[in-house]
Amino acid sequence: MISRFKPLLVHFLLALFGAVSVFSFAPLYLFPLMWLSLAALTFAIQQSATPQIAAGRGFSFGLGFFLANIHWIFISLNTFGGMPAAMAAGGILVLAAYMALFPALAGWLTLKLPCPAALRILLLPSVFILTEWLRGWLFTGFPWASVGYSQSPMTPLAGFAPIGGVYLIGWLLCLSMAIIVSKPKWLAGWGIVASIWGAGWGLNQIEWTTKVGAPVRVSLVQGNIAQNIKWDNAFYLDSLKTYLELTSKARGQLVILPETAIPSFISDVPDWYPQMLRDAVAPRKADLILGVPILGTHEAEYYNAVTVMSDPKLPLYKKQHLVPFGEFIPLPWLFNWIYSFMDMPLSGFSRGAVKQAPFALASGQIAANICYEDVFGREIINALPEATMLVNLSNLAWFDGSWAAAQQTQMSQTRALETGRYMLRSTNTGVTAIIDEKGRFKAVLPERVAGILEGTAQNRSGMPPYAWFGDTPLLMALCAVLLGLGCWKRRSDK
């Protein structure tokens, strides 16, 4: 009887180890728990008798991992989107199961690909990170909770972010766990792990970018407009007045309001409002950035945008990486029926251009990105080398009360590390923060309060290696590892 249930126990424990990983990310930052999670996965796959068993174990781990890390999507679907609870919960389960296919694929490949027994320690870390990258790219990508984020910015491995981004951090973390699980001898194993982590600490001491000009006084405005009233016409003028009052109290030379701070098309804003916003910052000649939807040239063309309201010409940044099922409907002929169960305002946004010029503001070049866009490191670097500072405008009230905002903020910290730039986050309900070029918080506003985060930020120039090359060198290196292992195995078998 015990032997009959032992496989089920293994799958349950792997799902539990996967779920525990959620505590390794923000807001708790208990990064050693990711070591435990990955060690359990590595051991389970190494002990698998067949590729199919390894795939099943990878799937169980992934299901627990993603249910724990993305469960908050339920809030947007049910609480604010109006989807029935059972349907919303089922949708989250389906999404988590889809994402669990990637660690399942990693497990299957680990036992299926040819590899010398002595070097199998390299195989799982390589295929795991390749499948993570695939998850972050396929079908527009959803790279949430990539394992490397759990080590950023507080561990020595974060020092590798300017070299190869979050996936390099993740690969080195997986490699370290694979070595440790294999019960290494001192020089052959623990010495390698110590060298990796020591090198990361050393890299983190390097200043990859240089200061440009004097520090800039910034004001990041958080209106705390509840999502259930944000798009309600009865509260529209109240929302406008809230942001006008906060803007008038701001003291920075650069004032930033969050995504869709104006909850209507800019063409529908009362005539008096834009001028009153300009008048609020005019006495100190400050620059004012805010988020607002804008209409395009065609009836069905509209964008989630950022504009410089203090400039009457209203220069724009148009969001180019949209959220599937939130800002656009993938395969409408297949999924359009879902929206009969939901109340989602402006769910058919158009895409902006991949390469857009930064705003010439605050004695520098300010590159804006909107909400979900800052989870894609390979896209944020498109603004470099011109950009001297990064700005993220978000409205995460869709997930209010969850850890989603904190998790995304940790990704912003990693973007700052990868680019060697300050990242300024202005959000509706949090996390509103000033993050320096090392991914450290300089100032943070409490969540779910209306207020202004006052502080200073530094324009910076220069190009860390990751900013030049993105993920390409790491992907090529990992593919070369797999090819080399396969060739070595075939040669040794002859």
Side-chain angles (χ1 to χ4, degrees):
M1 183 66 69
I2 294 176
S3 61
R4 178 185 301 176
F5 289 103
K6 186 176 180 181
L8 292 178
L9 178 61
V10 170
H11 288 286
F12 173 78
L13 289 175
L14 281 169
L16 185 61
F17 276 113
V20 164
S21 69
V22 70
F23 302 112
S24 69
F25 296 104
L28 298 185
Y29 293 97
L30 299 177
F31 56 86
L33 291 178
M34 185 59 78
W35 308 350
L36 180 65
S37 293
L38 291 176
L41 175 65
T42 300
F43 180 79
I45 289 177
Q46 286 181 352
Q47 298 300 311
S48 299
T50 67
Q52 291 75 20
I53 292 175
R57 292 176 175 180
F59 182 84
S60 296
F61 174 88
L63 191 62
F65 184 98
F66 291 112
L67 282 175
N69 279 288
I70 64 168
H71 68 277
W72 39 262
I73 296 177
F74 178 88
I75 300 172
S76 64
L77 296 178
N78 174 254
T79 306
F80 299 119
M83 182 180 284
M87 186 177 177
I92 302 305
L93 181 60
V94 170
L95 177 58
Y98 159 73
M99 296 174 73
L101 293 175
F102 293 94
L105 177 61
W108 185 82
L109 289 172
T110 299
L111 268 70
K112 190 69 175 179
L113 292 176
C115 177
L119 295 177
R120 190 164 290 276
I121 201 169
L122 291 171
L123 195 52
L124 178 57
S126 299
V127 295
F128 186 89
I129 295 304
L130 283 171
T131 57
E132 268 211 335
W133 174 86
L134 184 63
R135 171 168 65 86
W137 171 82
L138 194 64
F139 307 128
T140 77
F142 190 43
W144 206 275
S146 294
V147 297
Y149 287 120
S150 67
Q151 308 302 298
S152 177
M154 71 294 295
T155 77
L157 290 185
F160 288 96
I163 302 295
V166 69
Y167 292 122
L168 178 58
I169 297 175
W171 183 73
L172 293 170
L173 174 62
C174 291
L175 179 61
S176 298
M177 294 305 104
I179 292 172
I180 291 171
V181 167
S182 68
K183 300 178 181 179
K185 295 180 180 179
W186 172 250
L187 291 178
W190 290 102
I192 295 174
V193 173
S195 297
I196 290 171
W197 289 66
W201 180 88
L203 288 169
N204 206 31
Q205 311 311 307
I206 298 174
E207 293 290 334
W208 295 99
T209 55
T210 58
K211 295 179 180 179
V212 176
V216 178
R217 289 184 291 113
V218 299
S219 300
L220 311 183
V221 178
Q222 182 173 289
N224 196 38
I225 308 298
Q227 189 62 33
N228 60 345
I229 67 171
K230 183 172 177 61
W231 298 96
D232 189 332
N233 286 334
F235 296 92
Y236 176 69
L237 288 178
D238 290 336
S239 296
L240 295 185
K241 291 176 182 177
T242 293
Y243 277 112
L244 178 59
E245 290 173 2
L246 289 169
T247 300
S248 66
K249 297 176 182 178
R251 294 293 174 261
Q253 291 302 115
L254 177 63
V255 182
I256 307 172
L257 277 57
E259 176 188 14
T260 57
I262 296 178
S264 70
F265 292 118
I266 197 168
S267 55
D268 296 333
V269 175
D271 293 340
W272 52 268
Y273 191 68
Q275 189 56 53
M276 290 193 73
L277 282 174
R278 294 184 189 113
D279 291 343
V281 298
R284 60 186 184 282
K285 299 180 180 180
D287 297 310
L288 173 62
I289 302 175
L290 57 78
V292 60
I294 64 161
L295 289 168
T297 55
H298 306 291
E299 182 179 352
E301 180 186 353
Y302 48 92
Y303 299 90
N304 190 354
V306 175
T307 189
V308 183
M309 185 59 73
S310 53
D311 184 344
K313 295 180 181 179
L314 298 179
L316 293 171
Y317 167 79
K318 301 174 182 177
K319 187 176 184 182
Q320 61 94 9
H321 200 127
L322 305 177
V323 180
F325 301 102
E327 294 176 315
F328 80 101
I329 306 171
L331 303 176
W333 58 271
L334 181 60
F335 294 114
N336 205 44
W337 63 272
I338 294 176
Y339 288 83
S340 62
F341 295 93
M342 298 176 65
D343 179 21
M344 297 286 283
L346 299 176
S347 58
F349 282 110
S350 303
R351 300 177 189 275
V354 171
K355 183 76 172 179
Q356 300 181 56
F359 299 127
L361 305 171
S363 304
Q365 299 289 321
I366 311 300
N369 57 86
I370 301 175
C371 195
Y372 177 71
E373 289 186 306
D374 72 343
V375 309
F376 296 92
R378 65 179 182 271
E379 296 176 5
I380 293 297
I381 61 176
N382 286 332
L384 274 58
E386 294 85 0
T388 58
M389 195 180 300
L390 305 175
V391 172
N392 177 266
L393 289 77
S394 292
N395 171 36
L396 295 171
W398 283 103
F399 315 106
D400 207 24
S402 74
W403 288 354
Q407 290 176 352
Q408 185 179 343
T409 303
Q410 189 171 26
M411 299 182 204
S412 286
Q413 292 177 279
T414 308
R415 300 292 86 83
L417 272 165
E418 291 169 348
T419 60
R421 262 68 171 177
Y422 268 62
M423 173 71 84
L424 309 181
R425 290 180 52 83
S426 179
T427 69
N428 176 26
T429 56
V431 175
T432 296
I434 300 172
I435 301 169
D436 73 9
E437 78 282 2
K438 293 293 186 181
R440 301 168 299 202
F441 290 121
K442 287 199 65 182
V444 182
L445 200 63
E447 292 185 58
R448 293 181 289 281
V449 299
I452 306 167
L453 183 63
E454 302 280 7
T456 61
Q458 178 67 59
N459 286 298
R460 301 186 72 90
S461 67
M463 292 285 281
Y466 183 78
W468 281 112
F469 305 111
D471 299 319
T472 302
L474 177 63
L475 297 175
M476 293 176 64
L478 295 181
C479 290
V481 167
L482 299 185
L483 181 61
L485 291 175
C487 292
W488 193 333
K489 172 66 172 160
R490 289 188 178 92
R491 185 174 180 180
S492 62
D493 288 344
K494 290 181 179 180

